[in-house]
Amino acid sequence: MECVFGLVGNGFAIVAADTSAVHSILVHKSNEDKIMVLDSHKLVAASGESGDRVQFTEYIQKNVALYQFRNGIPLTTAAAANFTRGELATALRKNPYFVNILLAGYDKETGPSLYYIDYIATLHKVDKGAFGYGSYFCLSLMDRHYHSGMTVDEAIELVDKCIMEIRSRLVVAPPNFVIKIVDKDGAREYAWRESVKDTAVPAA
Amino acid sequence: MSIFEYNGSALVAMVGKNCFAIGSDRRLGVQLQTIATDFQRISKIHDRLFLGLSGLATDAQTLYQKLVFRHKLYQLREERDMKPETFASLVSALLYEKRFGPFFCQPVIAGLGDDDKPFICTMDSIGAKELAKDFVVAGTASESLYGACESMFKENMEPEELFETVSQALLSSVDRDCLSGWGGHVYVVTPTEVKERILKGRMD
């Protein structure tokens, strides 16, 4: 089951997601990147129905880019989160997207922020959040060890604790995780945590 | 599980002497899991009108946005704020428009009328208004709230005593409901000021 979690630290926000693409009992691939770089200073970590996840996050990404082209300035994280919620809410009673999202971003004026957006379009600004079966382990671990203003090293330590817990306690534990960070220097990949490596694709 | 119990909520509004109090719990949950303990369920429409929305959080957020939009349009056209009775009729009409695909919310409206007379009302998810002279309740803890309010309520309470009554009724009721709690949020509104207070209750 897909695990996505994230937290806000001192001047940064960090999100981690598992990287397995699963259909029923089959693992298609174990290096599927589920954290999309929305724009220079935003990350969208999405979990849920794979088709909906890719479609919806790409739709949001392109619309956020369009706003920037039209208006010359990028959306704030709060605005992007509310836009995302609005799209989910409009689709909810027609053809709902089964995608849960953690939107992390950094704004110059307000600093780092993390938004929890449910698949039924419940929006809430949080300091720490998680989705999926992994949330049952991550949330309580984060409740215990999180404090506001954590450094990157402290946050990574906590993220690793969560990944260890998911690996050891979840019966269908995903083996690999990707960690991405967003701070004043932008949104970027921080690290991968792999315990199973896909075999390299042979050259044609 | 009922859709009204998906997120968990508790709302209460009480009438005092030329004042009213409106209180809510602070939990945002997804069934058994608690997501946040600082969720705002009560919103200000204008200085003398407050709206609380219990039930499904996504619909509460959508409904709140629609109502703020309608009220702002009203303010532009009429160059004044809406009376509480008028606002209640607006909410009722908006809810009944969706009679066969409703918003899963139970609103609680509390306001001060023109002559500083307090007005409270609640309605079901399809807009059936319930005006009351003493108190109204909503949410997953509503049955406990009815009992607590009925026994603690007195007519013509001053703002300070009203705050104590609402707080005690709210906290004791949410303690009996697993889906609501994690503190309280109480607004006491008099013709001259609005006092917002956060309650610390059993954090579980």
Side-chain angles (χ1 to χ4, degrees), chain A:
Chain A
M1 237 260 80
E2 310 201 352
C3 307
V4 168
F5 59 95
L7 57 110
V8 173
N10 188 15
F12 68 92
I14 207 159
V15 278
D18 77 289
T19 58
S20 46
V22 169
H23 268 105
S24 166
I25 57 166
L26 175 67
V27 178
H28 278 301
K29 63 193 289 221
S30 16
N31 58 357
E32 168 82 358
D33 189 354
K34 295 177 192 169
I35 306 181
M36 165 179 279
V37 174
L38 201 65
D39 73 10
S40 63
H41 285 76
K42 285 177 200 49
L43 288 171
V44 172
S47 75
E49 191 84 55
S50 358
D52 281 348
R53 171 171 53 79
V54 174
Q55 279 293 100
F56 184 71
T57 51
E58 279 184 6
Y59 173 70
I60 297 295
Q61 185 188 54
K62 300 318 171 199
N63 273 281
V64 166
L66 182 62
Y67 181 94
Q68 181 158 3
F69 286 134
R70 278 185 178 151
N71 299 288
I73 52 163
L75 279 170
T76 60
T77 314
N82 276 288
F83 171 69
T84 308
R85 186 209 106 82
E87 290 303 308
L88 282 169
T90 312
L92 180 63
R93 283 175 155 90
K94 292 181 186 134
N95 56 333
Y97 296 104
F98 290 100
V99 192
N100 297 310
I101 284 169
L102 277 177
L103 201 152
Y106 183 89
D107 304 304
K108 244 194 1 231
E109 301 84 13
T110 50
S113 49
L114 182 66
Y115 287 88
Y116 171 102
I117 308 170
D118 211 334
Y119 75 98
I120 49 170
T122 310
L123 171 70
H124 194 63
K125 186 169 182 296
V126 292
D127 283 332
K128 48 186 166 10
F131 282 110
Y133 284 127
S135 66
Y136 292 115
F137 309 107
C138 297
L139 279 176
S140 28
L141 258 177
M142 290 195 283
D143 281 340
R144 170 67 182 84
H145 294 289
Y146 176 88
H147 56 88
S148 62
M150 290 174 91
T151 64
V152 179
D153 290 327
E154 286 174 329
I156 289 295
E157 215 184 296
L158 179 52
V159 165
D160 279 331
K161 277 201 177 89
C162 293
I163 292 174
M164 284 297 119
E165 197 65 19
I166 292 170
R167 276 192 182 143
S168 54
R169 290 298 186 181
L170 188 57
V171 64
V172 271
N176 301 339
F177 286 80
V178 64
I179 305 171
K180 294 198 182 176
I181 191 170
V182 61
D183 60 14
K184 63 172 173 28
D185 300 322
R188 60 192 180 282
E189 195 176 282
Y190 183 86
W192 282 72
R193 298 281 188 253
E194 288 174 306
S195 62
V196 163
K197 250 192 143 65
D198 268 346
T199 52
V201 177

Side-chain angles (χ1 to χ4, degrees), chain B residues 89-179:
Chain B
S89 296
L90 171 65
V91 180
S92 175
L94 258 177
L95 289 173
Y96 197 79
E97 267 173 14
K98 303 278 184 203
R99 170 64 178 82
F100 298 107
F103 289 112
F104 299 107
C105 293
Q106 235 192 317
V108 163
I109 295 152
L112 281 177
D114 280 334
D115 42 357
D116 293 345
K117 195 164 171 295
F119 169 88
I120 52 167
C121 95
T122 184
M123 53 194 82
D124 68 4
S125 57
I126 47 173
K129 260 188 284 186
E130 190 200 300
L131 306 168
K133 293 198 182 69
D134 40 16
F135 59 85
V136 290
V137 301
T140 48
S142 57
E143 278 133 0
S144 306
L145 276 165
Y146 272 125
C149 291
E150 195 70 71
S151 52
M152 295 188 201
F153 179 80
K154 285 197 323 264
E155 293 228 338
N156 288 326
M157 283 186 278
E158 294 293 331
E160 284 310 311
E161 199 191 348
L162 182 66
F163 165 70
E164 281 304 324
T165 310
V166 165
S167 305
Q168 291 301 331
L170 183 65
L171 287 178
S172 56
S173 308
V174 301
D175 284 348
R176 280 291 185 181
D177 177 25
C178 54
L179 295 175

